[in-house]
Amino acid sequence: MEDIINEDVAIIGGGAFGTYAAVRLREDFNVSVVVVETKDHLGGHVDTYTVPETNTTVEYSVQSYISNKAAVDFFKRFDIETSAFVARRLTTIYVDYNTSKEVTGYKPPTANATNESFQKWLPIVEKYNHLVEPGYWNFPRPKDIPTDFLAPFGDFARKYGISSAIPRITAISNVGVGGLEHIPTFLQNSLLYQRAYELLKNDVYLSSHVDKAERTSSGIKLVVKQNGKAGAILIKAKKLLYTAAPRRVPNLEGFDDDMKEAKVFDQFQSTWNHVGIVEIPCIPENYAILYISPDAVPDKHTSIRNDPRTLRFESTGPVGLQLFRVRTASGEVYTADEAKEWISFKVQQLVDAGTLNSTTGECKVEFKAFGNHNSVEWPNNTEVYKNGWVQRLNALQGYRGTWWTGGKWSADYTSNVWVFTDTVIERMLNRPKKRN
């Protein structure tokens, strides 16, 4: 063993949540930290493409934040100005997932109908908000779970007349891969993490992974290996804060999870997600191509995702470069290379089907930036909630010296998770949280 490091808290994951926790712990609570991150930079799913030979950047993953105090304070800490998010106005073509032909007869909700649905949804959210924010600390016990929580989402949407909000919900959250009907109802981004790294860099190990872990209530030992380097680092810490997605394979390999943990984590459902920036010469700029199921015709919005994968292209600019943001998700295993091959096939299928005009009959896709956002989702089976799964999930906080934060422990929006992370820090340190 080449190095032995002793710190108060070892943080696994240097994404948005691990970075936030490291800054708060070290700067506001005077707690020593060490961060282990598999990528060669902080920020996790924050992805920025820099257009060559220009000063232009394109955010193709996280694009906006909810303006709560945690987010405002975090950006202000690094002297980064924020402004209201303005989405590009795009002309959307809805195409059949299987054939790539334009879906005739589908009637997307109007802007007014969408806004009216959100207005109906707001009082429902406010009614239950105390049960799910911040995080799921107060999630009701099985016998007290509201009927609305476990209702199939299709029934819930029809009951409250909010179906017109679904297309926008899926665009923002990318939920419902494989179908929405039966699931339970329940930016200068890179600059922020560059500045955070400058602050934290002496306490960060990039391009590193945990090879072996020993976790007990009296202390943590992590054997960490760095890509391209021989030997290993031994990290000893009083507590462990895990911030990456709790996927048993591959994320939790080496973490010696026991039966209590495995019974909880085995209920998560894996998803395979890919995002990127692609150059597509045959799609008009300022257009979006959205693949939907023909089951949605004419206006059954709960059925727009009745297909095994999701796919959408959205024009990003700058003008004249034919750049598009691509997003795809699946409940089935597929690699980044397989995703690229499939995306290229679907684009060519658009041309062959006559949906897009192409003077050459061929449309070559060039991938400028691409990455996976593979993760897990809460189980669709309502019985697990009736059997107390959420309570068992929360009971893992602090167990074997390990604490957890991230998008599966709170509403999966960065700003929300930052607020939840503050509550985890408060409990982990057993002291009132402080604000800068």
Side-chain angles (χ1 to χ4, degrees):
M1 203 69 64
E2 294 182 352
D3 298 301
I4 299 178
I5 298 170
N6 290 276
E7 304 291 359
D8 293 323
V9 178
I11 299 174
I12 304 302
F17 316 135
T19 301
Y20 178 85
V23 171
R24 290 281 283 131
L25 283 165
R26 203 187 77 172
E27 300 299 305
D28 300 337
F29 291 92
N30 196 31
V31 170
S32 63
V33 300
V34 58
V35 180
V36 179
E37 166 57 38
T38 58
K39 293 185 177 182
D40 63 1
H41 61 276
L42 297 181
H45 288 177
V46 171
D47 294 306
T48 303
Y49 172 64
T50 301
V51 182
E53 301 179 2
T54 74
N55 290 322
T56 305
T57 59
V58 179
E59 304 291 345
Y60 62 94
S61 182
V62 180
Q63 295 185 305
S64 60
Y65 296 83
I66 297 170
S67 183
N68 58 26
K69 182 171 174 53
V72 170
D73 287 354
F74 199 47
F75 278 90
K76 186 182 297 183
R77 183 193 293 269
F78 294 102
D79 297 320
I80 295 176
E81 294 184 5
T82 58
S83 59
F85 176 73
V86 179
R88 291 174 62 90
R89 292 185 176 274
L90 303 176
T91 300
T92 301
I93 299 176
Y94 297 91
V95 299
D96 186 310
Y97 170 86
N98 293 303
T99 67
S100 292
K101 292 182 178 180
E102 187 168 2
V103 176
T104 58
Y106 176 62
K107 300 176 182 178
T110 64
N112 285 340
T114 299
N115 292 336
E116 287 173 4
S117 288
F118 275 106
Q119 288 172 357
K120 293 177 182 177
W121 198 2
L122 181 59
I124 304 171
V125 172
E126 291 177 336
K127 176 181 177 182
Y128 296 125
N129 194 55
H130 68 288
L131 299 178
V132 294
E133 290 291 343
Y136 303 109
W137 299 113
N138 298 319
F139 194 89
R141 294 187 176 279
K143 65 182 181 64
D144 299 320
I145 298 176
T147 302
D148 282 342
F149 275 34
L150 300 184
F153 185 66
D155 294 345
F156 177 87
R158 286 184 286 272
K159 173 182 176 181
Y160 290 105
I162 63 167
S163 295
S164 293
I166 290 174
R168 186 176 295 178
I169 292 170
T170 58
I172 295 171
S173 305
N174 203 29
V175 296
V177 177
L180 290 157
E181 190 72 36
H182 301 293
I183 64 173
T185 300
F186 276 83
L187 351 250
Q188 268 285 354
N189 294 336
S190 292
L191 179 59
L192 174 67
Y193 296 99
Q194 289 167 11
R195 292 184 178 176
Y197 178 68
E198 288 301 312
L199 177 70
L200 296 168
K201 61 183 178 182
N202 292 334
D203 296 317
V204 175
Y205 286 88
L206 299 175
S207 302
S208 304
H209 69 277
V210 174
D211 186 60
K212 183 179 179 181
E214 294 180 15
R215 298 178 290 127
T216 70
S217 58
S218 58
I220 306 294
K221 292 181 181 180
L222 305 175
V223 177
V224 174
K225 292 187 176 180
Q226 297 176 282
N227 296 352
K229 293 186 178 181
I233 300 164
L234 175 62
I235 295 175
K236 296 181 179 181
K238 298 174 184 176
K239 300 179 187 297
L240 176 70
L241 178 61
Y242 191 96
T243 72
R247 301 175 72 210
R248 292 195 71 201
V249 178
N251 293 9
L252 287 171
E253 289 182 316
F255 277 87
D256 69 327
D257 53 336
D258 65 9
M259 288 300 296
K260 178 177 179 178
E261 295 167 321
K263 285 181 179 179
V264 173
F265 293 138
D266 281 346
Q267 295 297 326
F268 279 114
Q269 299 176 175
S270 294
T271 61
W272 285 263
N273 306 275
H274 295 85
V275 298
I277 294 293
V278 293
E279 180 184 332
I280 309 177
C282 56
I283 300 180
E285 290 191 325
N286 295 320
Y287 269 69
I289 305 294
L290 176 58
Y291 288 75
I292 66 172
S293 169
D295 296 345
V297 176
D299 55 5
K300 191 178 178 182
H301 308 305
T302 55
S303 297
I304 62 175
R305 291 202 158 181
N306 286 4
D307 293 306
R309 294 181 184 176
T310 67
L311 180 62
R312 63 190 300 139
F313 301 99
E314 299 160 309
S315 179
T316 67
V319 175
L321 297 184
Q322 296 294 136
L323 295 180
F324 291 81
R325 177 192 188 205
V326 59
R327 288 189 289 165
T328 179
S330 173
E332 302 172 348
V333 179
Y334 72 133
T335 66
D337 286 341
E338 290 171 336
K340 287 181 179 181
E341 183 179 353
W342 182 72
I343 289 166
S344 297
F345 165 75
K346 298 304 284 186
V347 171
Q348 184 60 46
Q349 192 181 46
L350 287 168
V351 175
D352 296 341
T355 306
L356 300 176
N357 295 322
S358 175
T359 57
T360 65
E362 184 177 356
C363 189
K364 182 175 177 56
V365 176
E366 184 174 344
F367 292 86
K368 301 294 187 179
F370 200 73
N372 81 68
H373 287 185
N374 299 339
S375 188
V376 293
E377 300 296 339
W378 276 31
N380 284 342
N381 181 3
T382 58
E383 291 302 313
V384 301
Y385 304 108
K386 295 176 182 178
N387 291 328
W389 181 80
V390 179
Q391 284 69 37
R392 292 196 295 275
L393 178 73
N394 286 333
L396 296 183
Q397 295 286 11
Y399 177 63
R400 301 175 69 197
T402 305
W403 295 78
W404 307 82
T405 188
K408 308 312 161 193
W409 305 82
S410 169
D412 198 4
Y413 299 96
T414 301
S415 302
N416 292 55
V417 180
W418 285 345
V419 174
F420 172 70
T421 300
D422 282 339
T423 68
V424 174
I425 289 173
E426 179 181 3
R427 287 166 168 79
M428 181 172 65
L429 301 181
N430 194 27
R431 65 174 91 168
K433 60 183 177 182
K434 295 166 59 178
R435 277 295 185 188
N436 57 319

